[in-house]
Amino acid sequence: MATEFGNTWRIKIGDGEAPEEFELIGGEGSFEWNRQSKEIDTASKDDGSYAPVGFGRQTITIPVNGKLRLPDAGLERVDAVAKTHPHEVMAQITKGAIVKYQGLVAIGNFSTAFPDDEACTFRFDMKAAAVPIIDDLGATT
């Protein structure tokens, strides 16, 4: 097993056409692929001093950030979606040619920063807006 390096994992944004074409987000610095599950209390009086729990449905959140490099078709699509309603677009997480995640995501919290004498940056959040078409961290093809 080899250690994974983040520079081979990228985010792509769909164009909304059929067939869907995906564009890389230029200047991408990093992203996270987070799953948050609702905790379900399954405790009863039968459990004594223990409070067993389970997990229910999950949300998928993908915060993205990077350095602003314009023109950038992928980031410009994100910006456009963030300004429209609904704020949804198809997105992919890829490692080279392998699609690890693909699904409809909602885009929110889009922001840019323009510090003096430093690189301009962007950040936004994607959340799964529907059940993903592909959700396979270990995909190899």
Side-chain angles (χ1 to χ4, degrees), residues 17-72:
E17 302 294 323
E20 191 92 33
E21 303 250 346
F22 291 88
E23 191 76 44
L24 279 173
I25 296 175
E28 180 190 309
S30 67
F31 66 87
E32 296 177 24
W33 184 353
N34 301 317
R35 295 176 190 278
Q36 298 85 25
S37 300
K38 179 182 178 183
E39 190 173 294
I40 300 171
D41 179 357
T42 60
S44 71
K45 292 177 182 179
D46 298 331
D47 298 314
S49 62
Y50 293 93
V53 298
F55 286 103
R57 293 185 177 120
Q58 60 183 314
T59 58
I60 297 173
T61 305
I62 305 163
V64 182
N65 67 68
K67 304 283 194 287
L68 192 60
R69 294 188 174 160
L70 297 175
D72 177 357

Side-chain angles (χ1 to χ4, degrees), residues 65-104:
N65 67 68
K67 304 283 194 287
L68 192 60
R69 294 188 174 160
L70 297 175
D72 177 357
L75 187 61
E76 289 173 41
R77 286 180 190 167
V78 169
D79 181 44
V81 169
K83 296 177 199 172
T84 61
H85 192 273
H87 309 288
E88 297 173 347
V89 66
M90 289 296 288
Q92 289 182 334
I93 295 175
T94 63
K95 180 184 175 191
I98 302 167
V99 178
K100 303 284 194 165
Y101 181 93
Q102 181 175 321
L104 188 66

